[in-house]
Amino acid sequence: MASSDKSYYVTTPIYYVNDAPHIGSAYTTTAGDVLTRWHRQRGENVWYLTGTDEHGEKLLRTARANGVSPQEWTDKLVREAWLPVLETIDAANDDFIRTTEKRHTERVQEFWQNLHDAGEVYKGSYEGLYCVACEEHKLPGDLEEGTGEYAGQLVCKVHHRPVETIREENYFFKLSQYTDKLLAYYEEHPEFVQPATARNEVVSFVKQGLQDLSISRTSFDWGIPIPWDTKHVLYVWIDALLNYVTAVGYGSDEEKFERTWPADVHLVGKDILRFHAVIWPAMLMAAGLPLPKKVFGHGWLLVGGEKMSKTKLTGIAPAQITDHFGSDAYRYYFMRAIPFGQDGSFSWEDLNARYTSELANDYGNLASRVAAMVGKYFGGVLPEASAHGPAEQTIADALAAAVATADERIGEALDFQGGLNAVFDFIKLVNGYLTEQEPWKVAKDESAEGQARLATILYTAAESLRAVAVLLNAVMPKSSAALWDSLGAEASLGELAKQPVQDAGRWGQLPAGSVVTKGAVLFPRLEERAEG
Ligand code: ME8
């Protein structure tokens, strides 16, 4: 198969549906959506997967506490909360997998049956500590002294809740056999775990030596039964991780699987890095399957210095933000304000300030001023840039540089903030250019030369906006479409989503003669939005 046929395949974690999504859960999905829209706009085949993780003890306990069956609970939460949030944040995923679907459960059973048959799994007795909120086996080093109501007990460092002791007969996966293979793999593929802090953490964890992993439970039955011993259900994590392959045809549609797997990027929060960078690659090695190309562990959205969490009920629902600011500003804010890979705190004040200064003033005003001036001075028909000089060339050169930076930062480095900085620095430059050139003064000069200057200034600004619409489409699809429309670009250049982003810096694409209209204000002042 030609490598160009291979899909650029990006995944998010599949989320526990013990409660509705908050902005932390939506953070990864937003980043993945920006990344995949960017690659689609490079003209690549893209496959973007998200979904829900529906088995396990946490889910079972939540359903019981609500007096319904776990299946009823998950069906309701997925329908009423997890699917709708994708619309709220304007995500364009290609598929949504639920781990209770047959396409998943049957393939998971086959996978583990094969590893069992290959001698990778054995029966033993397990005694250890378990955090139900993390759905994770814990070692003493993962715990700390509790405080308040949990004083005197050891609690999980993430959820600050006591762990439980499990004593059961379990099946084990021979994870310990993969210690050296994994270390060799990290060494040969330094790009496999990113950013560098995440990679260092994973490498030093594995260097301590891995223990075999308990992969089954018998004390409850909300999970996928182990095919060769149905008293056991599979440990939720080794069921969940397989979603990345079951959703793209593993064991059912070989052609699709070949075209899609391995994943180019697994996006995960740093809380679940070890599962993705240690257990998952070991499972794939055991099964003889290719490993994902990259696991990127991003930071946490914090509340009061702690990870925002469903379990601790510290979440803010995405719709609380989008109802007021719209989905474009939502997406922009999280991608611009927090360096991807680091922790960050959401703040209404910061969002409000950025909305007003960066979106409404710097960007939205530029778009409306330019459309208004083309309307006023040229009857809404974009004039020709017949006097392109050094000031215009500076803009054209800066654009080419911004495009190269944004493409590398967003498309390759997953540095969304760096990419947006480049685009918004360019917007600032265009604003500065208009301030210097003063087209409203030049308009008073009725000589042929004056009119040529005026035409050139407005063309330069409109052509800059053409490129900005292309560059921002992955982050803010709604306002970019409105700007594209206002520039009358579709008639000559075609659909916005089809404009190759890497080519956005080629100067002079928007033809003179384009019909420019004032259109809707891209980022209305908030009191207007609230009234409207
Ligand atoms: O761990 N800040 O599901 P989960 C940033 N089902 N990202 C956050 C966040 C925060 N405060 N809170 C959640 C699971 N996330 C498993 C995954 S994958 C095979 C199985 C995001 O519902 C982040 O991506 O606890 C984190 O890794 C994920 O949601 C955890 O979601």
Side-chain angles (χ1 to χ4, degrees), residues 270-470:
K270 62 183 184 181
D271 46 326
I272 57 173
L273 192 61
R274 285 183 197 172
F275 291 102
H276 286 82
V278 180
I279 296 176
W280 178 227
M283 281 166 59
L284 290 165
M285 283 174 176
L289 291 171
L291 266 50
K293 293 188 194 152
K294 193 186 294 181
V295 175
F296 193 103
H298 65 68
W300 285 338
L301 298 192
L302 305 175
V303 178
E306 298 268 339
K307 173 175 173 256
M308 182 179 293
S309 129
K310 295 196 286 288
T311 309
K312 286 184 286 179
L313 299 175
T314 49
I316 298 171
Q320 283 176 262
I321 297 175
T322 57
D323 283 352
H324 193 56
F325 292 90
S327 58
D328 274 10
Y330 178 100
R331 297 162 62 94
Y332 171 78
Y333 175 77
F334 286 108
M335 294 300 100
R336 179 99 197 258
I338 303 164
F340 202 58
Q342 292 177 29
D343 293 346
S345 295
F346 166 76
S347 125
W348 288 102
E349 291 74 22
D350 189 30
L351 169 59
N352 208 22
R354 285 178 182 273
Y355 181 95
T356 303
S357 85
E358 293 160 10
L359 295 181
N361 292 349
D362 290 354
Y363 175 31
N365 268 354
L366 173 65
S368 41
R369 276 199 301 159
V370 171
M373 286 191 282
V374 175
K376 183 165 171 195
Y377 303 129
F378 294 96
V381 178
L382 189 65
E384 205 151 327
S386 52
H388 185 90
E392 288 70 36
Q393 197 50 44
T394 304
I395 298 288
D397 293 344
L399 173 63
V403 171
T405 304
D407 194 29
E408 192 278 323
R409 290 289 85 200
I410 297 178
E412 300 302 323
L414 279 65
D415 172 14
F416 303 103
Q417 183 185 61
L420 281 169
N421 286 347
V423 179
F424 276 77
D425 285 349
F426 175 70
I427 289 174
K428 269 202 157 67
L429 193 78
V430 178
N431 274 316
Y433 166 80
L434 285 183
T435 309
E436 274 167 28
Q437 299 296 325
E438 302 183 305
W440 45 92
K441 283 197 186 151
V442 179
K444 292 184 184 137
D445 175 356
E446 283 172 8
S447 70
E449 206 181 309
Q451 290 304 298
R453 269 311 301 152
L454 179 64
T456 301
I457 297 165
L458 293 182
Y459 180 85
T460 302
E463 168 63 358
S464 300
L465 285 168
R466 186 272 312 154
V468 167
V470 175

